[in-house]
Amino acid sequence: MQNDVSKCLISREQIAEKVVQMGQQISRDYSGRELVVVGILKGAVIFLSDLVREISIPLYIDFMAVSSYGSSTESSGVVRILNDLDMSIEGMDVLIVEDIVDTGLTLKYLMEILKNRKAASVKICTLLEKPARRKVDINIDYNGFVIPDEFVVGYGLDYNNRYRHLPGVYVLKKEVYTS
Ligand code: IMP
Ligand code: MG
């Protein structure tokens, strides 16, 4: 499996340091309020688990599963809700936690859905963003790292549901997904 990745782009230590900063910033920004942290399955699970433990204000955790990718590395532009929230978010401050913003299609669509449910606010927190591939304009409120246009795995991010457990973020070798 280590042979499938070409280089480590972001180490687990760099991620850990960044996640502490992000958690502190979120705690300050939402001070005195109550937050619903919405994790997008499955990619955001590891990031969310580390992030919420750095947030010092009261919060709820809920999850949504959407599909935008199937098994390819290109966004289809079609976003489907596979699993919806358990909670009502009406009147709540919602923070969507995502692994990566690539074209932006997934989050653009999700933002609209969650705003329609009359949330008090909806903001976006992502570990990674790839600005080179953005297709729609979206405002990312909290971003960990800007990365170049390469397909990455690890720290929750997958290719065909593999590699999510790798502790850092790695570039996947092209031959793995073009063969
Ligand atoms: P978007 O709708 O194009 O922004 O796609 C977002 C989703 O695509 C993310 O939640 C990931 O699941 C997936 N994705 C985009 N780029 C990568 C990557 O480099 N590695 C792994 N998954 C990715
Ligand atoms: Mg994802």
Side-chain angles (χ1 to χ4, degrees), residues 31-100:
S31 142
R33 286 146 75 187
E34 222 175 10
L35 194 57
V36 184
V37 175
V38 172
I40 308 305
L41 296 171
K42 304 170 194 167
V45 160
I46 293 179
F47 176 40
L48 181 143
S49 315
D50 285 343
L51 181 68
V52 291
R53 285 176 289 176
E54 303 300 337
I55 299 179
S56 54
I57 57 161
L59 59 79
Y60 298 91
I61 298 175
D62 206 341
F63 293 98
M64 260 178 127
V66 299
S67 93
S68 57
Y69 262 72
S71 61
S72 108
T73 57
E74 292 290 322
S75 181
S76 61
V78 178
V79 179
R80 224 161 31 104
I81 295 184
L82 304 177
N83 235 300
D84 210 338
L85 297 174
D86 290 334
M87 291 180 61
S88 160
I89 54 166
E90 190 172 338
M92 309 287 283
D93 290 308
V94 173
L95 183 65
I96 303 175
V97 175
E98 177 62 303
D99 50 2
I100 183 167

Side-chain angles (χ1 to χ4, degrees), residues 69 98-100 102-106 130 150-152 157-158:
Y69 262 72
E98 177 62 303
D99 50 2
I100 183 167
D102 186 24
T103 64
L105 290 165
T106 308
K130 268 193 230 176
E150 304 203 70
F151 197 82
V152 294
L157 290 107
D158 74 305

